[in-house]
Amino acid sequence: MGAILTTDRLTKNFGGLTAVNDVSFSLEQGEILGLIGPNGAGKTTLINLISGAFPPSKGTITFEGRDITREKAHTVNTLGIARTFQVVRIFSRLTALENVLAAMVDRKHKGPWSLVWDSFFRRACALTEDKEACATADSLLDFVGISKYRNEQAGNMPYALTKRLEIARALATEPKLLLLDEPSSGLNPAELTGQIDLIQKINAQGTSILIIEHVMKVIMGISHRLIVLHYGEKIAEGEPKVVYNDPLVVEAYLGGDSDAQH
Amino acid sequence: MLNIENLKVAYGKAVALHDVSMRVEEGELVTLLGSNGAGKSTLLKTISGINRALEGRIVWNGKEIQNQPSHLIVNQGIIQVPEGRAVFPDLTVAENLRMGAFTRRDEDGVAKDLKEVFDLFPRLKERRTQLAGTMSGGEAQMLAIARGLLANPKLLMLDEPSLGLAPVVREAIYHVIRQIYQEKGITILLVEQNARWALKVATRAYILENGRVTMEDTGAALAANPGVQRAYLGH
Amino acid sequence: MDSLFLQQVLNGLITGSVYSLIAIGLTMIFGVMKISNFAQGDYSMVGAYTAVFVMAWVGGWLGWIGSVVAAAAVVGLLGVVTERLVFRPLMTRWTDIDMIMVSIGLFILLDNLAQLFFGATPRMIGDPFGGTTVDLGVASTSLLRLFCFFFAGITIFCLELFLNRSRMGVAIRATSQNRFAAQLMGIDINQVYRITFGVGALLAGVGGVLYGTLFAIYPTMGALPTLKAFAVTILGGMGNIRGAIWGGLILGVAEALGGNYIAMEYKQAIGFFIIILVLLVKPSGLFGRKEGA
Amino acid sequence: MSARLRNILLWVVALAALILLPQVVEDRYFMHIAVMAGIFTILTLSWNLLAGYTGQLNLGHAAFYGIGAYTSAILAMQTGLSPWLGLFAGGLVAALFGLMLGFPALRLSGPYLAITTIGFAEILRLVAMNWVDLTRGSLGLSGVPLLTPIQIGDFRMQFYFERDYYYVVLAAVLFTLFCIRRLIGSEFGVTLQAMRDDEAGAQSIGINPSSYKLAVFTISAFFAGFAGGLFAHFARLVSPELLALHNTFDVLTMAMIGGLGTIAGPILGAVSLTILSEALRSMEEVLKIDIRLIVYGLLLILTILFMREGLVGVIKNVWARVKGDS
């Protein structure tokens, strides 16, 4: 199998604050790797670094043997890494279908001007009338279970479903690695179960997954391995059960047993 | 003193608090625990009148105060020290403190409180004329708390006061919180990451998960409860 | 040094001080409310016309001072009213584009209302000093222009006093630095908006009297001060008051020198050349801070 | 399929009405207004492509209009290039300037972008004022040639009267409309709207916002320049006024009132405001005052405050209510 993604001594400073400090880990092909840690531990920053939202201060990121440390977000995506966001970032004025269609464009080979050319000489009059493209998009909407909202403006969809739409949109770019930033935040217990099933279904199709999650039920249930961040540093790594009982991790979550008074 | 009944709050379509009920009695130190995104900050913001409550009531000394503008809520003595050391970076330390006393007209009382605050935080006295933006994280957090004290709070709400601080500084902050509670006798609603410490000082505590209160008990009882660890680390 | 050069620098500083005054109002409003007000120059226009009417009624010295006071009052009030009616409703569903466009609507409206009421004929504000000139050795200027310069300086000084010493002034600065924390201090955010907008407009109004004293007054004159104020504000960093003071003086001097040594025809475009150059190098302005975290 | 049929029918009827209009109304003044409404429709559609579909506020759009007009006029007057080709040459030169403005504009947004684009237009306006050898300065270029006659076999069409230009402009509007509809409906258009709604989200699916913004700046400028060429050969006078700020403000008002970010909106806005402003101008004789722009300003403010979706939104709501009731 081998690692699909490796980070080496990754560090990110914001002004005086070190959000991610010297983090090295690797993600195996086909794996679901969970990323946990208390509030402010640097989990989202780590995902932002990998997805190219901003460059690291130090360290390298390697994806499929290629150094992607300095690549911009859009390039990272065309190389095969897709992501979702902690607070959904869907295209609110487009329909669910259009959200997915927008992601299906072959951006690796086509820039803006070739799309301009295409709009006059290739496709059906409108993208939404392109049967082939719509069929693919529909199957993705169906896969995440929101076909019903196909023609609904994304901004009008229930929040829980926009999280699924975001996943469908990410899948539409045919990623080899999917970065999920708290896919179940804001969901109720019933919706939670559906989300777990969905993530496992995606993984079953061969997509590697890096997932940040604070709902322990979710993360313990689906991760093959866990990484724990605390103050930007990796403090534990390994099988969920082992990590769960690691005293360092318990300490990070519950706080030290110390007080100036004692 | 403060009663929250069936509170519901949402950001757009995302419901952040479903049906939250809790209370704070005079002289208590109540702790609010919960993981990232559980809705703790949202709750504080709603009490302070920054977020709108969709449903439910917030009752302060017998009066409904939900959805009142924030300055009226501050006027009634409900003071929040926001998360992330939100001081005014381009104001001096003295000016920051003066803003803390913004709603007060009793100059003598403010002067007296200022003296007390300087006793509590001698560092701030030294740095009166320094711009707040140039201070270290711990100092800024001290300033934020001092600023809150100058408002003469009846209820002081502290949002993650130790977040992102080095262990030594964190201890100092804990020490100050104890002093404020025990020596000044100010009622405190505390949101804190460090569950173990927070439960030790708290008279009572609530655990918030995904916008719902899932546990409520005395601090000591919760600290002894094996379920608390589970609430943090899984079911 | 070449006396023509110094003469131009002096002229530039005088004009620049007026730019600063108008721009400070703009930058204050932006700093606190994040509104880019394209109608700012129209507040100056209204101030200038107020002066025309007051001066027609009371001449000379007293008239000039009286017109500044009247302009401050009239335009300040206009600012408060427009804030309440036009800008406040948008604060809750704020987008950059909406704010800019609504202020453009206000700009079009005020511009053309002025044409309707005041007619297209340009007006002048009389010189209360009867055209006395002052010889400063290396350069000379009229007493009136020198007076304008000092008056602008005094106004800016008073504003600094207000912002640094008064309770409300500090609250305004606090709000521009962290709106959320300011609310938690019990600052009534709407009151801060009202006062900020009122003061910002007032400064433009006073600036308008000075502008009208230096240049001609006509209904569509507002466009130039608006554009100048934006150029100054961008030079100085949006929301930065000190930056606006320096930016105004720099623009004034650059225009005077550029107009004289490079090309008179392009004098009005110099500000734009500068800001385009500045923005290419530093998208947040010369004295601007880095935005975001 | 019936909805589609109804759409086609609607188009055919509207087109027929527009073609027959000059046969019914013979008034030259009215035709003049209709031509101007058409030119402003193209301008507004092109501005809206940038503002409505990518969320970038370009306040220097009149510069592209002016560049197109000057290019087409100067080419026809000095090189004798056919005005028909000149229209497109004007568009292309404007597009070149659009690309040029697009580069700095990429890094800017909000007030910074607004003021930079104004500055761009003002600088070019001053160039038009002062490059007397080429532009005859503030006098402007008068006597710009008319569009040359078209001869196909025995069929000869001359362009002399307003009515003739009406057909040219109608064709130009349809051409623009066709292009913009194709662009908006395609992968390209969906990409733009995705960027507008959430830029970070767009980047996460592989969209490079800079390159798309640049492309839209260029395309938007092309159509503005094209409209400028049409104006030059119709009015036969090109002056620096064309580049002035108030022209951009007119366009912006039309787009807003019609409905930003839609295709019908700019058309609706341009046509209704042109008609409204003529109606107000005729009132001027009665009222003795020109209230045209006062109304513009007021309408713009009211639209943003109370009907953010513009006329298109109002019509949609009314339509939904009618449908709901029946």
Side-chain angles (χ1 to χ4, degrees):
Chain A
M1 289 298 243
I4 185 168
L5 178 85
T6 318
T7 72
D8 185 36
R9 316 204 62 166
L10 214 51
T11 301
K12 179 68 187 178
N13 304 308
F14 292 112
L17 187 89
T18 304
V20 169
N21 195 2
D22 214 22
V23 172
S24 305
F25 73 92
S26 58
L27 198 154
E28 302 298 313
Q29 187 92 45
E31 184 181 35
I32 300 182
L33 181 63
L35 186 56
I36 63 171
N39 193 0
K43 297 166 300 204
T44 296
T45 307
L46 189 58
I47 281 208
N48 281 336
L49 291 174
I50 297 170
S51 68
F54 38 69
S57 312
K58 263 184 277 174
T60 55
I61 308 167
T62 315
F63 177 67
E64 293 194 310
R66 175 177 171 162
D67 182 4
I68 60 160
T69 314
R70 304 267 143 204
E71 298 292 359
K72 294 257 173 59
H74 57 90
T75 316
V76 170
N77 176 259
T78 54
L79 292 175
I81 301 179
R83 69 169 293 182
T84 65
F85 297 85
Q86 195 173 351
V87 177
V88 287
R89 286 183 166 277
I90 42 154
F91 310 131
S92 55
R93 286 160 75 182
L94 296 181
T95 63
L97 182 76
E98 287 167 331
N99 266 271
V100 176
L101 284 172
M104 281 168 47
V105 180
D106 175 15
R107 302 192 191 278
K108 199 165 188 173
H109 302 104
K110 287 180 183 169
W113 289 108
S114 80
L115 291 189
V116 167
W117 178 264
D118 276 3
S119 60
F120 291 106
F121 301 106
R122 286 289 254 317
R123 295 273 194 180
C125 184
L127 184 54
T128 45
E129 289 166 15
D130 183 331
K131 291 216 173 72
E132 200 183 319
C134 285
T136 315
D138 274 327
S139 69
L140 273 167
L141 290 178
D142 189 47
F143 180 73
V144 302
I146 53 172
S147 310
K148 207 172 80 179
Y149 292 88
R150 180 185 198 263
N151 297 320
E152 185 78 41
Q153 265 201 0
N156 296 334
M157 287 169 63
Y159 183 75
L161 299 184
T162 56
K163 299 218 89 158
R164 295 181 152 233
L165 175 59
E166 209 182 34
I167 293 176
R169 185 182 73 182
L171 291 177
T173 64
E174 298 180 348
K176 293 169 199 145
L177 169 63
L178 183 60
L179 314 172
L180 297 171
D181 193 350
E182 300 206 4
S184 56
S185 70
L187 304 192
N188 65 36
E191 293 161 342
L192 225 58
T193 322
Q195 204 73 340
I196 295 174
D197 291 346
L198 177 61
I199 294 166
Q200 278 172 333
K201 229 164 50 172
I202 295 166
N203 183 244
Q205 298 189 339
T207 312
S208 313
I209 293 175
L210 176 64
I211 175 173
I212 296 181
E213 189 51 73
H214 67 266
V215 178
M216 286 299 151
K217 187 168 128 194
V218 176
I219 200 93
M220 298 301 292
I222 63 175
S223 306
H224 302 140
R225 277 191 313 136
L226 278 182
I227 290 181
V228 187
L229 288 189
H230 188 44
Y231 287 113
E233 289 175 34
K234 187 175 86 174
I235 58 166
E237 178 174 7
E239 280 188 35
K241 283 241 164 55
V242 180
V243 169
Y244 181 73
N245 293 316
D246 187 329
L248 259 177
V249 177
V250 175
E251 164 104 13
Y253 268 86
L254 294 178
D257 194 8
S258 60
D259 188 344
Q261 301 267 304
H262 292 253
Chain B
M1 189 178 203
L2 180 74
N3 258 304
I4 294 167
E5 298 164 12
N6 310 99
L7 197 64
K8 180 177 175 184
V9 180
Y11 296 105
K13 301 244 159 215
V15 178
L17 296 178
H18 316 256
D19 196 23
V20 168
S21 299
M22 63 176 291
R23 71 194 157 83
V24 181
E25 298 298 341
E26 185 146 16
E28 275 195 305
L29 193 163
V30 173
T31 292
L32 201 55
L33 298 173
S35 56
N36 191 6
K40 297 162 297 181
S41 292
T42 304
L43 181 57
L44 294 198
K45 281 184 186 173
T46 312
I47 298 172
S48 286
I50 307 286
N51 288 341
R52 278 189 65 79
L54 290 178
E55 290 167 21
R57 308 196 305 156
I58 302 173
V59 181
W60 171 250
N61 290 331
K63 272 191 307 187
E64 282 190 30
I65 58 160
Q66 72 273 11
N67 298 340
Q68 279 186 5
S70 52
H71 64 276
L72 294 185
I73 288 173
V74 172
N75 258 324
Q76 297 170 59
I78 305 178
I79 309 301
Q80 181 185 157
V81 177
E83 176 185 24
R85 288 149 265 157
V87 294
F88 304 114
D90 288 339
L91 297 189
T92 62
V93 169
E95 283 173 325
N96 265 280
L97 292 173
R98 190 171 162 203
M99 282 296 103
F102 184 80
T103 54
R104 295 175 66 181
R105 291 284 183 273
D106 55 326
E107 297 296 330
D108 297 343
V110 174
K112 185 175 141 279
D113 284 356
L114 190 62
K115 206 179 145 293
E116 283 186 30
V117 160
F118 280 148
D119 287 343
L120 201 57
F121 304 100
R123 293 284 287 191
L124 295 182
K125 191 172 183 179
E126 292 163 26
R127 310 201 161 203
R128 252 178 309 188
T129 55
Q130 193 178 327
L131 287 185
T134 63
M135 297 200 303
S136 72
E139 289 166 342
Q141 184 62 58
M142 299 284 187
L143 176 58
I145 295 175
R147 194 179 58 179
L149 286 176
L150 272 175
N152 195 13
K154 296 199 180 76
L155 171 67
L156 188 65
M157 302 192 291
L158 299 165
D159 194 356
E160 309 238 359
S162 72
L163 182 66
L165 297 178
V168 188
V169 186
R170 208 167 57 192
E171 295 301 327
I173 297 271
Y174 289 160
H175 182 66
V176 161
I177 294 172
R178 265 188 197 264
Q179 276 184 309
I180 293 170
Y181 176 61
Q182 290 169 347
E183 293 168 22
K184 290 184 176 291
I186 294 171
T187 310
I188 292 179
L189 176 56
L190 173 69
V191 170
E192 173 58 44
Q193 289 260 318
N194 186 334
R196 211 159 265 166
W197 177 78
L199 288 176
K200 196 175 336 175
V201 295
T203 47
R204 283 186 313 112
Y206 292 86
I207 292 184
L208 212 57
E209 276 180 274
N210 265 335
R212 293 180 173 78
V213 173
T214 52
M215 268 188 256
E216 175 198 349
D217 212 328
T218 63
L222 279 179
N225 183 345
V228 172
Q229 181 164 345
R230 220 162 287 141
Y232 271 82
L233 292 178
H235 287 276
Chain C
M1 210 180 275
D2 186 352
S3 87
L4 178 66
F5 177 80
L6 290 173
Q7 180 69 50
Q8 293 304 337
V9 170
L10 178 66
N11 290 344
L13 286 175
I14 291 170
T15 321
S17 69
V18 179
Y19 291 166
S20 300
L21 199 56
I22 300 173
I24 288 171
L26 187 77
T27 216
M28 257 180 83
I29 292 171
F30 184 84
V32 175
M33 303 173 75
K34 298 288 172 284
I35 293 173
S36 318
N37 182 18
F38 277 80
Q40 189 75 2
D42 283 297
Y43 292 146
S44 300
M45 177 269 294
V46 174
Y49 271 101
T50 308
V52 168
F53 285 110
V54 173
M55 294 285 279
W57 191 43
V58 194
W61 245 108
L62 258 177
W64 198 88
I65 297 291
S67 59
V68 169
V69 175
V74 168
V75 180
L77 190 69
L78 180 66
V80 170
V81 170
T82 45
E83 188 272 330
R84 183 70 195 87
L85 292 181
V86 178
F87 294 102
R88 178 90 59 83
L90 287 176
M91 289 303 286
T92 48
R93 55 178 179 94
W94 184 91
T95 71
D96 246 358
I97 283 203
D98 280 10
M99 278 299 183
I100 292 175
M101 290 214 276
V102 92
S103 76
I104 288 174
L106 193 62
F107 168 87
I108 300 175
L109 183 67
L110 290 175
D111 237 36
N112 290 286
L113 279 177
Q115 299 222 35
L116 181 61
F117 288 124
F118 306 137
T121 337
R123 312 280 187 102
M124 295 289 286
I125 291 178
D127 183 346
F129 300 105
T132 321
T133 57
V134 183
D135 194 352
L136 298 173
V138 283
S140 73
T141 187
S142 73
L143 185 55
L144 177 66
R145 291 171 67 86
L146 209 57
F147 184 76
C148 281
F149 179 73
F150 283 113
F151 197 84
I154 289 166
T155 312
I156 292 170
F157 180 72
C158 291
L159 177 77
E160 290 266 335
L161 273 186
F162 167 69
L163 289 176
N164 289 318
R165 295 291 153 81
S166 78
R167 182 169 153 274
M168 186 40 82
V170 181
I172 287 175
R173 283 161 60 213
T175 308
S176 78
Q177 290 165 31
N178 191 329
R179 186 186 300 181
F180 169 55
Q183 280 174 290
L184 294 183
M185 300 300 109
I187 294 169
D188 178 354
I189 213 82
N190 284 329
Q191 191 188 13
V192 168
Y193 290 163
R194 186 161 53 241
I195 291 173
T196 304
F197 218 98
V199 171
L202 178 154
L203 291 171
V206 172
V209 179
L210 302 184
Y211 194 88
T213 306
L214 300 180
F215 308 105
I217 299 171
Y218 49 95
T220 53
M221 66 178 264
L224 272 182
T226 291
L227 296 180
K228 298 279 157 78
F230 265 102
V232 167
T233 307
I234 286 177
L235 268 181
M238 301 283 290
N240 183 340
I241 290 175
R242 293 278 159 78
I245 298 173
W246 289 112
L249 296 177
I250 291 172
L251 179 65
V253 172
E255 275 185 3
L257 294 178
N260 204 52
Y261 290 101
I262 302 169
M264 197 59 206
E265 309 88 277
Y266 289 98
K267 186 176 173 184
Q268 304 298 348
I270 285 169
F272 291 124
F273 277 120
I274 297 175
I275 57 170
I276 290 174
L277 283 180
V278 166
L279 288 177
L280 278 177
V281 183
K282 205 169 167 237
S284 53
L286 264 193
F287 304 96
R289 294 164 179 264
K290 257 190 312 183
E291 281 180 45
Chain D
M1 237 27 208
S2 77
R4 196 187 172 117
L5 210 67
R6 197 182 59 205
N7 264 343
I8 292 174
L9 211 67
L10 213 70
W11 270 99
V12 170
V13 171
L15 205 58
L18 284 171
I19 289 172
L20 290 175
L21 188 69
Q23 314 300 326
V24 184
V25 189
E26 300 204 338
D27 183 28
R28 289 183 62 178
Y29 176 62
F30 183 84
M31 278 295 113
H32 177 92
I33 296 168
V35 169
M36 286 314 292
I39 289 173
F40 265 93
T41 302
I42 299 175
L43 262 181
T44 311
L45 276 169
S46 63
W47 184 79
N48 177 57
L49 188 63
L50 197 58
Y53 286 100
T54 72
Q56 302 208 88
L57 195 59
N58 171 13
L59 295 185
H61 205 56
F64 301 135
Y65 182 51
I67 290 166
Y70 271 107
T71 306
S72 194
I74 290 169
L75 284 176
M77 292 168 82
Q78 297 197 351
T79 70
L81 181 80
S82 157
W84 294 102
L85 293 176
L87 292 181
F88 291 92
L92 287 176
V93 173
L96 215 65
F97 275 87
L99 190 68
M100 212 172 79
L101 176 61
F103 275 108
L106 284 180
R107 302 172 60 188
L108 308 172
S109 63
Y112 298 95
L113 177 63
I115 208 72
T116 304
T117 48
I118 288 182
F120 168 80
E122 281 294 292
I123 290 170
L124 285 177
R125 189 177 66 87
L126 289 174
V127 169
M129 290 270 280
N130 294 304
W131 194 351
V132 180
D133 292 344
L134 189 70
T135 64
R136 282 197 236 141
S138 56
L139 288 176
L141 295 166
S142 54
V144 179
L146 292 167
L147 288 170
T148 47
I150 295 177
Q151 180 117 31
I152 304 165
D154 285 341
F155 174 80
R156 183 181 169 82
M157 189 167 177
Q158 287 200 340
F159 299 94
Y160 195 72
F161 293 111
E162 285 80 358
R163 174 200 293 191
D164 311 326
Y165 276 89
Y166 171 84
Y167 285 114
V168 175
V169 168
L170 182 61
V173 169
L174 290 175
F175 167 69
T176 309
L177 194 59
F178 168 79
C179 293
I180 288 184
R181 264 182 70 108
R182 285 301 287 230
L183 283 171
I184 292 306
S186 73
E187 289 178 330
F188 181 75
V190 172
T191 305
L192 299 189
Q193 296 173 68
M195 276 162 49
R196 172 198 63 195
D197 283 1
D198 196 311
E199 195 159 312
Q203 283 172 310
S204 84
I205 56 167
I207 295 170
N208 178 2
S210 309
S211 66
Y212 283 89
K213 283 180 189 169
L214 219 50
V216 186
F217 247 102
T218 313
I219 295 169
S220 167
F222 172 84
F223 284 105
F226 179 64
L230 283 171
F231 176 82
H233 297 290
F234 170 63
R236 311 192 60 192
L237 173 72
V238 177
S239 74
E241 263 298 281
L242 289 181
L243 289 88
L245 195 55
H246 63 81
N247 279 320
T248 302
F249 285 177
D250 280 359
V251 166
L252 169 158
T253 310
M254 288 170 178
M256 253 344 261
I257 289 175
L260 198 66
T262 62
I263 289 180
I267 304 174
L268 221 56
V271 172
S272 60
L273 274 197
T274 312
I275 293 171
L276 177 72
S277 84
E278 290 309 322
L280 291 173
R281 192 167 289 170
S282 62
M283 274 173 62
E284 193 184 337
E285 285 159 23
V286 187
L287 296 172
K288 301 275 176 245
I289 47 171
D290 181 9
I291 59 166
R292 191 177 73 96
L293 287 169
I294 296 177
V295 173
Y296 265 44
L298 209 57
L299 278 179
L300 180 54
I301 295 173
L302 293 177
T303 302
I304 295 167
L305 288 180
F306 301 112
M307 43 175 236
R308 182 60 177 73
E309 310 288 309
L311 286 174
V312 167
V314 172
I315 291 171
K316 250 192 210 158
N317 284 341
V318 170
W319 181 242
R321 201 164 297 172
V322 168
K323 257 181 137 178
D325 282 351
S326 62

